[in-house]
Amino acid sequence: MAAQLIITNLYIQVVLIIFEYMRIVVDLHIHSCYSRASSEDMKFENIDRIASIKGIDVIGTGDFTHPKWREEMKKLIEENGLYRLEKGKTRFIISGEVCTTFKYKGKTRRIHHLIILPSIEIAEELSNRLSIYGDLKSDGRPNLSMTGAQLVEEVMEFGENCMVIPAHIWTPWFSLFGDKGGVDSIEECYEDQTPHICAIETGLSSDPPMNWRVSALDSYTLVSNSDSHSLLKIGREANIIEVKELSYNEIIKTIMFNKYKVETIEVDPAYGKYHWSGHRKCGISFPPKEAKKLKGICPICGKKMTKGVAERVEELADREEGEGPKDKQNFLRILPLIDLIAVALNKESFSNEVQKKYWEIVNELGNELKVLLEEPEENLKKVCGKELTEL
Ligand SMILES: [Zn+2]
Ligand SMILES: [Zn+2]
């Protein structure tokens, strides 16, 4: 009897463990058609459709500061702090990116921050507040004359479940640690508001092992997003978050307090434009050691090269390559399917053949992330062909 009870109990516990959590794919950072250099197709209907093809459960709305985009947002249906189209599957989480410009130690700093909010009403009120610091209508990612600390203070006025995440923290321009207008520590940007920062965005040009080399980042949750300005780039990086329910608060709480339940999906950092130091005009780039030997000067034209993310990490790192904190978040490395196909067919990603093959595969197998992460080899071979599967 007792044994039976124990077994039944065990059974219930196992069932609970299986059903307690679900893994959702979340891309917090994209841009709408109202952002500069963004595709006109970046509208809710299209984003909803592509996100489900890609296998994304929750996606940022992007650009909440833009009044015209907010008008579109107001047509969405709210559910547990997340939003969806009437017939849509994808949940939207309210997000937007702003650029703060301020002087620090005599140098102009331009830093991008991602903001995540629990409701359209707060998005509206916060936008009213932020409009004092810059023109919100001119760009979906507005420029604001304020410090990082001032921004966090304004955002946190609306509650502890609002969130500011420094965006793509290593890119040379417009980022927290960027060589061209960033700073050397989180505190230099967020000052007394630093305790409100819980997460950092790795960006396309860096991956978790690079960030692990800076011990000052150990306590932050690493998140990874696509920062997409066009439909097909949605979800090229994303997060897999284990949650108990599909709600705004659950997602935010997990990012804030439970970093080991956040896994990131990463492309190879060399995929990012700024991974190595180089001079784009002359078409060359170098790994950190060689760039250092060249003293950062382009060997072709003699001008200064842009310091790449790898070299910048090297500067701020206090751990050797391959080292890191004892406990680490999991991450998965993928190459976007469209690029995989391009390599297999030896054609450009935007060519008709590559696009055609992409849709064939996705229509047959469900969604892109499923194809890349879960699909057994046999199925892949059938649909994708042998060459592509081997990649
Ligand atoms: Zn940005
Ligand atoms: Zn962005």
Side-chain angles (χ1 to χ4, degrees), residues 29 97 112 141 167-168 174 227:
H29 182 175
E97 185 185 30
H112 285 183
R141 181 186 53 210
H168 44 76
F174 310 115
D227 197 356

Short mmCIF file of all heavy atoms in Angstrom, two decimals, residues 29 97 112 141 167-168 174 227, ligand 1:
data_model
loop_
_atom_site.label_atom_id
_atom_site.label_comp_id
_atom_site.label_asym_id
_atom_site.label_seq_id
_atom_site.Cartn_x
_atom_site.Cartn_y
_atom_site.Cartn_z
N HIS A 29 13.08 42.12 -29.61
CA HIS A 29 13.56 43.36 -30.22
C HIS A 29 13.45 43.32 -31.75
O HIS A 29 14.23 42.63 -32.41
CB HIS A 29 15.02 43.55 -29.78
CG HIS A 29 15.68 44.80 -30.28
ND1 HIS A 29 16.94 45.16 -29.90
CD2 HIS A 29 15.27 45.77 -31.12
CE1 HIS A 29 17.28 46.30 -30.48
NE2 HIS A 29 16.28 46.68 -31.25
N GLU A 97 12.88 50.63 -28.83
CA GLU A 97 14.29 50.93 -28.61
C GLU A 97 14.48 52.44 -28.71
O GLU A 97 13.87 53.07 -29.57
CB GLU A 97 15.14 50.23 -29.67
CG GLU A 97 16.64 50.39 -29.45
CD GLU A 97 17.48 49.79 -30.58
OE1 GLU A 97 17.00 49.78 -31.72
OE2 GLU A 97 18.61 49.36 -30.32
N HIS A 112 22.07 52.68 -27.21
CA HIS A 112 20.72 52.14 -27.46
C HIS A 112 20.25 51.29 -26.27
O HIS A 112 21.02 50.53 -25.71
CB HIS A 112 20.73 51.27 -28.70
CG HIS A 112 20.78 52.05 -29.98
ND1 HIS A 112 20.73 51.46 -31.21
CD2 HIS A 112 20.87 53.38 -30.20
CE1 HIS A 112 20.78 52.40 -32.14
NE2 HIS A 112 20.89 53.57 -31.57
N ARG A 141 12.81 54.50 -33.70
CA ARG A 141 13.83 54.41 -32.64
C ARG A 141 14.35 55.82 -32.41
O ARG A 141 15.31 56.27 -33.02
CB ARG A 141 14.96 53.48 -33.08
CG ARG A 141 16.02 53.32 -32.01
CD ARG A 141 17.19 52.52 -32.51
NE ARG A 141 17.70 53.08 -33.74
CZ ARG A 141 18.28 52.40 -34.73
NH1 ARG A 141 18.44 51.12 -34.61
NH2 ARG A 141 18.71 52.98 -35.81
N ALA A 167 20.96 47.52 -25.28
CA ALA A 167 20.81 46.77 -26.53
C ALA A 167 22.16 46.47 -27.17
O ALA A 167 23.10 47.27 -27.07
CB ALA A 167 19.93 47.56 -27.50
N HIS A 168 22.24 45.29 -27.83
CA HIS A 168 23.45 44.86 -28.59
C HIS A 168 24.70 45.51 -28.01
O HIS A 168 25.37 46.31 -28.66
CB HIS A 168 23.30 45.17 -30.08
CG HIS A 168 22.74 46.52 -30.42
ND1 HIS A 168 23.47 47.67 -30.33
CD2 HIS A 168 21.50 46.91 -30.82
CE1 HIS A 168 22.71 48.70 -30.66
NE2 HIS A 168 21.52 48.28 -30.96
N PHE A 174 26.62 53.14 -31.04
CA PHE A 174 25.33 53.11 -30.36
C PHE A 174 25.14 51.97 -29.37
O PHE A 174 24.08 51.36 -29.32
CB PHE A 174 24.19 53.06 -31.39
CG PHE A 174 24.30 54.10 -32.45
CD1 PHE A 174 24.50 53.74 -33.77
CD2 PHE A 174 24.23 55.44 -32.12
CE1 PHE A 174 24.61 54.70 -34.76
CE2 PHE A 174 24.34 56.41 -33.10
CZ PHE A 174 24.54 56.05 -34.42
N ASP A 227 16.63 42.05 -33.54
CA ASP A 227 16.75 43.46 -33.92
C ASP A 227 16.41 43.61 -35.41
O ASP A 227 17.06 44.37 -36.14
CB ASP A 227 18.18 43.97 -33.64
CG ASP A 227 18.26 45.50 -33.62
OD1 ASP A 227 17.24 46.16 -33.89
OD2 ASP A 227 19.36 46.02 -33.34
ZN ZN B 1 20.05 49.45 -31.67
#
